[in-house]
């Protein structure tokens, strides 16, 4: 785990890029001062975290984080076998002090500075969603100046600009009925049944870095989870 942490720092710090192969296991083990077996186990941890991939006969490469890779990893909203892709995502940002719920979700001090981001998006199949995201302003300084580079997922932006790679997410699902505000924003009847997804995204060290509240009109989409 200590060796994996060393390598993770190199990856998130862009010392190694997706376009160039990593040094081989022998060289890496020698540079870090561990056995090849230890280095191999460390690389397996990074592969499980989707930070690297091994290409048969070509070497080991850093996984390039993009909207497509994060959509495949972290979205469960599908039509048939295809992930639902949003279009026209435009984020607005406000600054405030963390509420009790926000501080608990992000493990920060109540009243700490946070950025609250909101976007309303739609997809070709008719799915519409309102997304509300909260992050620590201390962890992501100047984020309001950067969100124009974001999309359906902000995870690639976190990694590219702040060296925060998302390792896993935890979601809780409930059903809600559209109030007047949601009915207008999602273009659905008042009282329409909607799916509400509360998601916490954790970095590869296990610290919560984003709390998202997504409310969706699913149209003909499904929420599919594979277990086991």
């Amino acid at each position: 785990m200590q060796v994996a942490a060393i390598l993770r720092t190199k990856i998130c710090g862009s010392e190694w890029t997706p376009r160039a192969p990593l040094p081989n296991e022998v060289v890496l083990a020698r540079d870090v001062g561990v056995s090849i077996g230890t280095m191999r186990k460390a690389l397996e941890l990074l592969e499980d975290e989707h930070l690297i991939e091994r290409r048969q006969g070509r070497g080991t490469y850093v996984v390039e984080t993009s909207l497509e890779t994060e959509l495949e990893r972290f979205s469960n909203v599908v039509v048939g076998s295809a992930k639902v892709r949003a279009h026209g995502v435009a984020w607005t940002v406000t600054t405030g002090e963390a509420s009790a719920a926000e501080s608990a979700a992000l493990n920060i001090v109540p009243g700490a500075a946070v950025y609250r981001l909101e976007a309303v998006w739609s997809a070709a199949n008719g799915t519409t969603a309102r997304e509300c995201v909260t992050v620590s302003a201390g962890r992501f300084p100047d984020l309001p100046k950067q969100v124009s580079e974001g999309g359906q997922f902000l995870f690639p932006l976190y990694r590219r600009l702040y060296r925060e790679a998302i390792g896993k997410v935890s979601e809780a699902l409930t059903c809600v009925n559209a109030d007047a505000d949601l009915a207008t924003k999602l273009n659905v009847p008042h009282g329409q049944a909607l799916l509400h997804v509360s998601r916490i995204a954790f970095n590869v060290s296990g610290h919560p870095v984003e709390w998202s509240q997504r409310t969706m009109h699913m149209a003909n989409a499904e929420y599919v989870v594979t277990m086991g």
Side-chain angles (χ1 to χ4, degrees):
M1 291 178 68
Q2 291 174 337
V3 174
I6 293 171
L7 303 181
R8 196 181 293 119
T9 298
K10 293 179 180 290
I11 292 170
C12 293
S14 299
E15 185 172 333
W16 293 328
T17 69
R19 292 169 292 281
L22 272 63
N24 64 43
E25 293 175 354
V26 175
V27 173
L28 287 173
R30 183 193 64 206
D31 290 347
V32 178
V34 297
S35 69
I36 294 177
T38 298
M39 179 55 64
R40 187 169 293 128
K41 290 178 180 178
L43 291 171
E44 288 174 356
L45 287 175
L46 298 183
E47 192 170 24
D48 289 342
E49 293 172 0
H50 300 275
L51 289 178
I52 63 172
E53 61 177 342
R54 300 182 185 189
R55 302 176 187 173
Q56 188 66 33
R58 297 178 58 190
T60 302
Y61 291 77
V62 175
V63 172
E64 187 165 14
T65 302
S66 67
L67 174 60
E68 289 301 314
T69 61
E70 303 307 87
L71 196 66
E72 288 302 316
R73 288 182 65 195
F74 296 117
S75 176
N76 295 311
V77 182
V78 301
V79 175
S81 60
K83 303 282 186 175
V84 170
R85 286 164 170 76
H87 56 76
V89 181
W91 294 94
T92 60
V93 188
T94 58
T95 304
E97 297 181 353
S99 66
E102 291 168 328
S103 62
L106 296 174
N107 193 25
I108 57 177
V109 177
V114 294
Y115 292 130
R116 298 186 181 104
L117 301 87
E118 181 174 342
V120 176
W121 54 261
S122 59
N125 74 302
T127 294
T128 55
R130 182 187 67 178
E131 187 107 26
C132 299
V133 168
T134 304
V135 298
S136 165
R139 186 178 292 273
F140 298 108
D142 295 325
L143 183 62
K145 299 178 182 178
Q146 312 296 342
V147 292
S148 59
E149 300 181 33
Q152 184 174 351
F153 277 95
L154 296 171
F155 299 171
L157 184 150
Y158 298 158
R159 179 165 170 182
R160 186 173 69 255
L161 299 181
Y162 299 97
R163 301 180 181 180
E164 289 283 9
I166 302 303
K168 66 176 182 178
V169 302
S170 173
E171 294 185 335
L173 279 62
T174 56
C175 291
V176 298
N177 296 110
D179 58 17
D181 181 55
L182 278 171
T184 299
K185 289 181 176 178
L186 302 185
N187 193 28
V188 296
H190 188 277
Q192 171 71 49
L194 304 170
L195 177 68
H196 182 78
V197 182
S198 179
R199 181 187 71 212
I200 300 177
F202 300 84
N203 64 16
V204 291
S205 298
H207 299 296
V209 298
E210 180 196 272
W211 186 35
S212 167
Q213 304 290 310
R214 177 187 295 169
T215 309
M216 308 180 68
H217 173 50
M218 299 289 284
N220 64 332
E222 297 179 307
Y223 195 94
V224 177
V225 177
T226 301
M227 300 182 182

